[in-house]
Amino acid sequence: MLWFVFALLLQAPNAPAPAKAPEQPIPYSHKKHLAMGLKCKMCHTNPDPGEAMGFPQVATCMGCHRSVKTDSPHIRKLAKHAAEKTGPAWVRVYRIPTYVFFSHRAHTEAGAKCETCHGPVATRDVLWKETDISMGGCMDCHRRNKASVDCAYCHEAK
Ligand code: HEC
Ligand code: HEC
Ligand code: HEC
Ligand code: HEC
Ligand code: HEC
């Protein structure tokens, strides 16, 4: 019996608890929405010059929510944003200092997947910083992929 419990414990998925997930102004769930077959680029459009992925326009949400779940207080809040042409002030999860060069497009064109740098987003109700985007994290992947680790590759030459 004890062995059985022990075996179960060992098999329990050791997904880190989202203890550090910031509270968002509207409880949007990637898991629920991606289960409907939506694609990342529907909401994260990577506009020119391609550095940022960006956050969705409220209009993108309202495409569905004009008629879906309209009596939810969260959706009412969303509709108010749409009427006032403001966006919910999403709390940033991943962020690097402005003195570091980083381009989403350069990385996706080199074959990097969203999940490599952001974890299994499609299975998450809430997002938190679950991967290492520190300088060490960038360097490890650059070494593995024979990309440059020269200081001036990621930082302005002084
Ligand atoms: C229906 C719209 C929608 C789709 C589709 C969507 N997202 Fe998002 N995404 C959001 C919204 C809204 C936020 C802000 C709230 C949050 O952080 O949970 C966000 C935030 C994020 C963030 C955190 C950004 C930051 O630094 O604050 C990442 C990373 C992300 N999405 C990745 C993805 C990936 C990868 C996919 C596809 C697997 C995806 N998203 C699909 C709407 C969407
Ligand atoms: C393709 C249609 C579609 C799009 C686009 C969409 N949603 Fe949804 N959303 C749904 C559906 C359907 C549900 C109900 C899912 C469920 O309850 O399992 C839902 C549920 C929600 C809920 C939970 C509401 C509640 O009180 O239960 C929130 C919050 C939400 N969506 C926010 C957003 C935001 C913010 C965006 C834009 C970034 C967005 N949705 C884009 C279809 C969509
Ligand atoms: C090589 C690593 C890497 C890959 C691959 C990657 N991201 Fe990011 N992502 C980052 C970093 C680093 C930041 C913080 C950028 C900053 O602060 O300037 C970020 C920020 C974001 C943000 C916040 C808004 C923004 O534009 O800064 C969203 C949304 C996002 N990523 C979504 C995605 C999606 C969707 C994909 C796949 C199409 C993806 N990311 C692929 C590393 C990555
Ligand atoms: C998934 C592995 C991976 C991670 C993680 C990663 N990189 Fe890269 N990066 C690459 C590869 C591969 C290239 C080479 C692309 C090419 O040769 O076109 C590259 C190219 C670059 C470039 C030059 C491309 C350009 O012109 O914009 C910069 C700058 C850069 N990375 C910065 C970063 C920073 C900063 C981080 C951490 C926040 C990071 N990278 C994380 C794999 C990665
Ligand atoms: C692949 C990209 C990349 C390369 C190459 C790189 N850095 Fe960085 N560096 C970063 C990122 C990302 C940060 C920000 C980390 C964070 O968010 O704290 C950073 C931060 C720093 C900081 C500030 C650290 C702190 O603790 O405040 C210094 C100093 C620095 N880098 C120096 C260097 C030097 C010197 C080199 C060459 C040996 C170098 N970097 C090469 C990506 C890179």
Side-chain angles (χ1 to χ4, degrees):
M1 182 59 196
L2 258 181
W3 272 110
F4 179 62
V5 172
F6 192 56
L8 271 183
L9 282 175
L10 280 177
Q11 278 172 20
N14 60 341
K20 288 182 255 164
E23 195 180 322
Q24 297 290 353
I26 290 175
Y28 168 81
S29 160
H30 278 85
K31 185 177 177 182
K32 270 192 190 154
H33 287 84
L34 294 172
M36 295 181 239
L38 305 188
K39 298 281 174 265
C40 311
K41 67 173 177 233
M42 177 188 188
C43 292
H44 302 294
T45 55
N46 197 214
D48 287 335
E51 268 145 40
M53 274 295 165
F55 291 91
Q57 303 277 324
V58 189
T60 308
C61 313
M62 293 312 285
C64 292
H65 285 294
R66 224 181 310 282
S67 54
V68 175
K69 290 252 172 183
T70 49
D71 48 9
S72 150
H74 306 302
I75 301 307
R76 281 208 213 103
K77 199 167 160 192
L78 201 61
K80 193 158 175 281
H81 278 296
E84 291 168 357
K85 296 190 166 29
T86 54
W90 302 115
V91 181
R92 289 290 303 262
V93 178
Y94 292 89
R95 178 153 253 178
I96 52 173
T98 49
Y99 59 77
V100 182
F101 300 137
F102 180 78
S103 160
H104 271 94
R105 195 174 296 166
H107 285 86
T108 48
E109 280 175 357
K113 297 273 168 279
C114 312
E115 289 73 14
T116 309
C117 296
H118 297 302
V121 171
T123 69
R124 303 292 187 223
D125 276 317
V126 291
L127 301 188
W128 71 100
K129 196 161 154 285
E130 59 179 294
T131 58
D132 182 9
I133 55 157
S134 68
M135 179 162 133
C138 311
M139 294 281 229
D140 281 349
C141 192
H142 277 213
R143 286 202 191 90
R144 277 199 307 277
N145 289 282
K146 302 191 167 43
S148 173
V149 291
D150 286 353
C151 312
Y153 199 53
C154 300
H155 299 294
E156 197 104 46
K158 281 261 153 75

